[in-house]
Amino acid sequence: MTLTPLAAVCNTAACPAVFLDESGAIVIRGDQMDPPPAAVVLSPGEALVVIPPALLLEAARRLGPL
């Protein structure tokens, strides 16, 4: 799988970031919320991640109109 960086919070590889994969799906890297809130039921393989709102806005800006 190839990931194209769209936006990141820092200039290192270990920080919250948003990527685009070759299928056009958005992939998000962030700090895992552990444990998740009791009201959220996760399926196997799922996780909640925490990312700054500005990161999503920057990624959306770089994506442009869909």
Side-chain angles (χ1 to χ4, degrees), residues 21-49:
D21 77 6
E22 64 265 5
S23 74
I26 294 174
V27 178
I28 297 178
R29 175 187 179 146
D31 295 324
Q32 185 170 334
M33 182 180 284
D34 193 27
V40 177
V41 177
L42 298 173
S43 296
E46 291 182 336
L48 295 179
V49 296

Side-chain angles (χ1 to χ4, degrees), residues 2 6 19-27 63 66:
T2 301
L6 289 177
F19 304 90
L20 193 64
D21 77 6
E22 64 265 5
S23 74
I26 294 174
V27 178
L63 273 174
L66 297 177

